[in-house]
Amino acid sequence: MTNFYDINKNEELLKKQLSYAVANSPFYKKRFTDCKIDIEAIQSYEEFRKIPITTKEDLQNYNEEFIAVGKDAIIDYVTTSGTLGNPVSFALNDADLDRLAENERQSFEMVGVKRSSVVQLTTTLDRRFMAGMAYFLGLRKLGAGIVRTGSGLPGLQWESIERFQPDFLVAVPSFLLKMIDFAVQNGIDYKKSSIKAAVCIGEPLRNPDFSLNSLGQKVKDLWDIELFSTYASTEMGTAFTECEFHKGNHSLPDLIFAEVLDENQNPVEPGEIGELVVTPLQTQTMPLVRFATGDMVKFYGQNCDCGRRSFRISTPVGRKKQMIKLKGTTLYPQQIINLLTAFQSLKIFVIEASLNENQTDEILVRIPNDFTETNKLQEHLQAGLKVKVSLEKTSLEKLEKLKFPQESRKPKLFHDFR
């Protein structure tokens, strides 16, 4: 398969994955037959692109038809976070769990974790959550020390740091701010702790130009540790991770074949933004072929100062389905979130999208009742977005419920009612 995207994959593994999916997955057996696709005839990327895209709706509507092993082979069941709809069930057999461990082993090595390192995991290993388990399996395979504190509980985090002296944290960036706030309030000299770096998950850390976004910069200004960006999803079972040069998130070529496609499903050039489409490699229980993630990312190409020639992308700049057209301006929620996070005196907010009577997009930003700088915030947003959005004061109790819904594993800053 001689093409610009070739360096991004192991061709033999890709062909093997296609053959496995067609032979074992009821969904792909039917799809390839219906579309008259001959695996043996695929000898170029152009021919590979004739395979239809698999959508999230396919995965939701035909969930069990993607299972390619017997039920007695399944060991672990997980669900997606359900960011864009109902959570989807995923299953893993023994080989998939080994692959997941290898993915995280490579990812942790990329950020500098060694066998002699100690890593504190501030993420849950339960609640059908794949990521926390993946981190544990990867660190175990690497041979590093692991401190499993779980999510929340800043007091336990700092007591564990003092007790076990970890070098790395795995954490959501906004939780690092909560840890810093707790340390300040309780007289903990956090700047002299053993922590040298944080592997950041769940929230974007950088802008597409590699600079820290407002959330990342806020953490860095308060705590001068090295911050590594990551991007992953349950469906991919694979992580894209920053190296020490912080110039995009690297793919793991033996575990995933990635494409970044424009609205016509053509590959974008380096520097352009498109939708990430993935074919995870070496998966057995629920193989996916050309799965459209719904995430819009910037494609950087392959060459990096670190010497790796793997596929590099940004963390998502937005979700394809969350694109907002506001008075002729195209926006993604993350742009609004970055601007709101950068406004120092605003401690909590929620963004809502809806349709007005003309069936065009409207944006409402909910802010606390006691917030006193409404006019300044309005000017700040308009300067950054080039368009005016509505602000509405809301009780702190309601804001907390909107931001931390009981059924969600992540803070929910954007609610789409369109």
Side-chain angles (χ1 to χ4, degrees), residues 272-287:
E272 295 180 348
I273 290 173
E275 182 180 13
L276 181 67
V277 174
V278 297
T279 303
L281 305 175
Q282 303 189 58
T283 58
Q284 291 187 9
T285 307
M286 292 183 73

Side-chain angles (χ1 to χ4, degrees), residues 200-228:
C200 295
I201 63 170
E203 295 172 335
L205 188 68
R206 297 189 187 277
N207 298 310
D209 65 357
F210 308 130
S211 64
L212 289 169
N213 63 19
S214 52
L215 177 58
Q217 194 60 55
K218 187 180 285 190
V219 173
K220 188 71 173 176
D221 288 344
L222 292 169
W223 197 4
D224 191 21
I225 57 176
E226 191 167 9
L227 302 174
F228 288 93

Side-chain angles (χ1 to χ4, degrees), residues 142-377:
L142 181 57
I146 310 167
V147 183
R148 292 179 293 108
T149 51
S151 58
L153 304 172
L156 175 64
Q157 306 297 344
W158 285 115
E159 190 273 337
S160 300
I161 290 170
E162 177 64 27
R163 181 185 293 264
F164 301 110
Q165 298 289 296
D167 316 274
F168 291 82
L169 288 176
V170 175
V172 176
S174 56
F175 183 63
L176 293 176
L177 292 175
K178 288 188 176 181
M179 286 182 61
I180 293 167
D181 187 51
F182 182 93
V184 170
Q185 291 181 20
N186 290 273
I188 297 170
D189 192 355
Y190 66 92
K191 292 182 180 180
K192 292 186 178 178
S193 75
S194 60
I195 301 297
K196 300 297 185 292
V199 178
C200 295
I201 63 170
E203 295 172 335
L205 188 68
R206 297 189 187 277
N207 298 310
D209 65 357
F210 308 130
S211 64
L212 289 169
N213 63 19
S214 52
L215 177 58
Q217 194 60 55
K218 187 180 285 190
V219 173
K220 188 71 173 176
D221 288 344
L222 292 169
W223 197 4
D224 191 21
I225 57 176
E226 191 167 9
L227 302 174
F228 288 93
S229 170
T230 65
Y231 162 63
S233 73
T234 301
E235 295 96 336
M236 296 190 297
T238 319
F240 291 75
T241 306
E242 274 188 343
C243 69
E244 67 272 23
F245 288 93
H246 305 285
K247 290 187 176 179
N249 292 29
H250 287 268
S251 69
L252 300 177
D254 58 333
L255 296 179
I256 198 163
F257 173 51
E259 307 167 77
V260 181
L261 306 181
D262 65 19
E263 58 187 12
N264 297 315
Q265 296 187 6
N266 295 316
V268 304
E269 294 296 325
E272 295 180 348
I273 290 173
E275 182 180 13
L276 181 67
V277 174
V278 297
T279 303
L281 305 175
Q282 303 189 58
T283 58
Q284 291 187 9
T285 307
M286 292 183 73
L288 294 176
V289 178
R290 303 199 79 205
F291 174 73
T293 64
D295 290 329
M296 305 299 288
V297 300
K298 189 171 185 177
F299 175 49
Y300 298 122
Q302 285 96 5
N303 295 324
C304 180
D305 293 344
C306 70
R308 296 179 180 89
R309 289 180 57 80
S310 54
F311 197 90
R312 285 183 303 124
I313 58 171
S314 70
T315 49
V317 300
R319 301 273 190 176
K320 188 176 182 179
K321 286 190 175 180
Q322 291 179 343
M323 186 179 76
I324 300 158
K325 279 283 190 181
L326 193 63
K327 300 170 186 175
T329 301
T330 299
L331 301 173
Y332 288 100
Q334 193 60 46
Q335 293 171 264
I336 309 172
I337 291 169
N338 287 346
L339 286 166
L340 291 167
T341 304
F343 203 87
Q344 297 292 331
S345 57
L346 183 65
K347 302 303 182 186
I348 187 171
F349 60 84
V350 170
I351 304 161
E352 294 179 354
S354 60
L355 295 175
N356 59 24
E357 64 272 14
N358 297 320
Q359 296 299 296
T360 57
D361 292 346
E362 280 196 350
I363 292 296
L364 174 69
V365 178
R366 294 191 179 275
I367 56 177
N369 280 333
D370 61 357
F371 184 72
T372 59
E373 299 181 59
T374 306
N375 290 338
K376 285 185 180 179
L377 178 60

